[in-house]
Each structure stands twice: as C-alpha cells, then as structure tokens.
Amino acid sequence: MTALAEAWRRFWLAPASPRPLVATRVIVSAHALWLALSRPDLATVVSWPDVFWQEVPLGTRLRFGLFLPASAEAVLYVLALVALALTLFGVRYRPAAAVAGLLLYHLAPLEEVIAGNRALWFRGFTLDVPALLILAFAREARWNDASSSEWRWPPALVQALFAGTYFFSFVAKLAVTGPAWFTAENVRDFAVYAATWDAAPPLSRWLADRTIACAAVAATTAIVEALFPLVLFSRTARLVLVPLAAIGHVGIAMSLGIVFHAAPLLLLFAPWSREP
Amino acid sequence: MTDLLRAGSLAVFIGLGLWAAAARDESRRRRAVSVLIGYVLLVFAAVAATGRDDWPFSAYRLYAKHYDPTDVYSRIEARVVDDSGREWPIDPYAGSPLPHIIVSMVLDGRLRSLDDQGQDRVGAFLLARAEEVRRRRAEGRRASGEGRLGPFSAPHGILPWLFDRAPPEGLARPYRAIRFYRAHWRGVDRWQGRPRELTLLFEYPRPEGAAP
C-alpha cells in the first residue's frame, strides 16, 4: 500500500517544471477557441422551430441548462470567446478558464443535442471542458516559475484524459465488434462504406483495393489505441505513438473522411520540459 | 433522471476541484488533489466499462461498429428546387451549426413522427436556410456556418466536401421548394457506381392538388 501511495505521489505530485502546465493552458484554450470560432452560429440553434426540439428530453435540457432565448445564448457565446481568449493569453486565467469550461459545457451540446440521445458527442469540445476546469482548479503557473509539485498533476491529468480517448476507443471497438474490428477485412469494409458518400474521400478506393494497406491500418490502429496510455510514462512511447496517431488522423480523414477534432491536442505530449 | 445523475457527476467533479483549489495547507491540498484525480479516473473507467456516455467523460464508441458493405443503409436526403423547376442538392451548411449528417439524423427521427403541418414547418425552415446560403454563395461569400476563420475553420465531423452541393448554375436562381427523400443504398452498389435509391417523402410547399 505504501509503495502504491509512493508511486501515486511520484507520478501525480512530484516537483515539475511549470512549462507543461503553461503549454496545456495555451493548447487547450487555443483549440477550444478555434472550434468555437468555427461554429459562429452555435447559439442560434435554440431559435430553431419547436418541431426540432420536441424530442429533446426535459432532463437533457436541465442537464445542460438549455432554456435561454437566442439573444441570451448569443451573449454567452461571446462571453465564452472572451473567457477563452483571456485563458489563452494568461490574463486572470483561472476564473476565465472556469467560466469558459462551464459555458462550453452549456454551449457544446447545441451542436447535436436536437438529434436526441443518439448523438451526444459534441464535436471536439469533449476534452476541452474538463481540461479548462482542471486549469481553473490548479495554481496559476508562469513559464519561468520554479519547479513545484503544483505544476505536475494538472497537465498529467489532462494528458491522462486525452490518452483515454484512444484507449477507451480501443475498448469500445472490442466491446461492440470484438477483435474482428482490427482486421484488414473490417478496414476495407469501412473504406468501402466511406466511399458511398456523394464523393469518395481521396484515398478510400486506394485503401480498399489494397489488403496489405488495410492490414497495416488495422494493426496500427490496435497498437496506437491499446498502447497509448504508455505515453504518460515513457518518453520513447511518446516519440513513437504520438507521431503515429497524428499520421493516423490525417490518413483517416483522407481515406474515411472522418475528422477527429481533438487531434491538435496531441501537442500536449510535445517535450515542453526535460522531465519525462 | 439519468441526465440529472450525469449532471451530478460533473457537479461532484467541480466540487472536488473547488475543494482542491481552496485547500491552503499542503498536505490537505495533496489529499484533495488525489481525491479529485481518483474521481476523474474512476468516472472515466466506469463510463468506458459500461459504454454509457457521461459527457464530457465519453466512452468514445464512435465508429466502433462494423460497417458491412452488403447491408442496406438509409438516410434522409433533402434537395432544393429553383424557380425554373430544376432540382439541386441542398448545401451541406444549410443546417449549420449542425453537421450535415446530423441534420439527416434529426430529419430521420422527426419526419416519422410529425404530421403534415409539422413536416411543412421543417420544410419551410430548411428552405429558408438553404436560400440564405445560396444567396451568400451566389455573391461569392462563404456560408455563415463555415466559421469565422475562413479556410482555417474546423470542418464538420465528416468532411463537408464529401457531400454534393449545387454547381454555379444551381446558385443563380432562387430556391422555391424543398423535397425530402429517403435514400437507400448498399456500399457494394455505390462502390460500383450505382446511385442511391431515392423515395420522395414530401415536398414543401405542397404541389397544388397534393393532399395537405
């Protein structure tokens, strides 16, 4: 038990440079700002006709606070942009990050909530919301501050959440489809399916026609997703898995047409300090 | 009830975070931080193990299923009609900020359950949105839903350029009607270049003489 507690302390609470925490703040807030500016009409969804909102359960509305008129939502959207900009530039960033995290928790569902419970994925803000709140709970760090245990746990927790994106995606594939998901045949079928949109993604036919390429994609997906938590502990794992994941996201967009909005957050694993 | 429990799980996260933030004494703060971290990891693991989403803690089940190309797939497809009677694909940003494919999912759910008047309200709304996007594009501007960052805006989850949009001649004349089709297809058929099968569900405004 003592050894476990010591390992826990060493991983989460060891003295660390403030730079990964500062980098986490900049990367997460810039990412959320990028997404928010890319969805300027997010707040207008509340003014869509009632027929679109009829099947949104009352509990879902309560959970996300979706009762305000469009004019109020527009104000909240602007407020979220301001809070994200303050967080990005480090101006009173702890309260700003708290406001931004809470407002994104409220605003992000507008992108999909009227599709009912079938589509609660909220396009890209999934990691930003808890990460912004974690930044708000942490002590305020500046680039040249001295090492402290206060600087270790916030970026490590955000990284752990992001690593979970891959690992739990691996678990979900095993649970839903089983090991057969990670076969050349499944990847080929996926590429064929992707080619059935109005236009095929540029590499879908190329991929589907090559069994070896499909097998490589299947194996790489299994390796990256299953082993990604290792990046939390090993510099070597970061050097291998983070670039592989980045290449994978480009490949997925080109062959399957699917955009993983959180992909820029791979920058969280760049070597922002000399510590592992 | 489930939604409120999910809201509660976020509230606990925030409560533990505030406890950690407020702790002044170092040992208390370490304990509070450890409880916060343990809680986050526990919630995340529970969500993954059960497959039940607790956004922003997600089970990441997207694309976890197998897409069999011999299965028959179906979605709602909207097309617009200009004042010369020519039909064009609806712009993938007409339903923005909802991604095009989500609009299709919404329509799939709603159109089944709505009466004619409800369907007409959906039709009128989307027709007005499609016409607004057409006007902007005809003037050489981007659709408002394409973001404030020009080409650097984040695309929707499925690349929007994989969906048909009207060519320049399809932007020249105002849209006067919108048609909703159910599209069926099999991956293997589309792979061989066969079109989707379209079945007209309804048109708005209803053509003269059509049943209300």
Side-chain angles (χ1 to χ4, degrees), chain B residues 1-135:
Chain B
M1 187 63 184
T2 312
D3 271 308
L4 296 181
L5 284 174
R6 288 168 172 153
S9 85
L10 185 84
V12 171
F13 168 59
I14 292 170
L16 292 173
L18 291 174
W19 176 39
R24 296 282 169 234
D25 169 65
E26 191 180 335
S27 66
R28 277 190 188 177
R29 179 163 168 78
R30 284 180 172 223
R31 195 178 319 130
V33 164
S34 290
V35 172
L36 173 67
I37 294 167
Y39 176 76
V40 169
L41 299 181
L42 194 70
V43 169
F44 210 4
V47 160
T50 60
R52 287 171 168 266
D53 221 56
D54 184 19
W55 193 86
F57 303 106
S58 175
Y60 295 101
R61 293 173 82 87
L62 268 176
Y63 307 113
K65 71 173 191 176
H66 171 232
Y67 289 85
D68 187 334
T70 62
D71 281 352
V72 176
Y73 294 94
S74 155
R75 70 182 172 109
I76 299 293
E77 198 164 304
R79 299 177 69 82
V80 283
V81 181
D82 70 18
D83 64 3
S84 73
R86 289 186 72 183
E87 189 180 87
W88 307 100
I90 194 168
D91 194 283
Y93 282 98
S96 181
L98 269 64
H100 192 49
I101 196 68
I102 298 294
V103 174
S104 177
M105 286 172 65
V106 171
L107 293 173
D108 205 344
R110 294 303 177 279
L111 295 184
R112 287 175 203 269
S113 58
L114 288 174
D115 59 15
D116 285 355
Q117 284 181 331
Q119 291 183 349
D120 285 355
R121 282 202 295 277
V122 171
F125 175 72
L126 275 182
L127 176 59
R129 305 263 312 197
E131 171 60 10
E132 186 188 327
V133 174
R134 181 203 68 79
R135 264 204 311 270

Side-chain angles (χ1 to χ4, degrees), chain A residues 169-183 185-187 189-190, chain B residues 61-68:
Chain A
S169 182
F170 174 74
V171 172
K173 289 180 177 86
L174 284 180
V176 174
T177 302
W181 199 101
F182 301 98
T183 59
E185 186 185 22
N186 181 59
V187 171
D189 287 352
F190 214 145
Chain B
R61 293 173 82 87
L62 268 176
Y63 307 113
K65 71 173 191 176
H66 171 232
Y67 289 85
D68 187 334

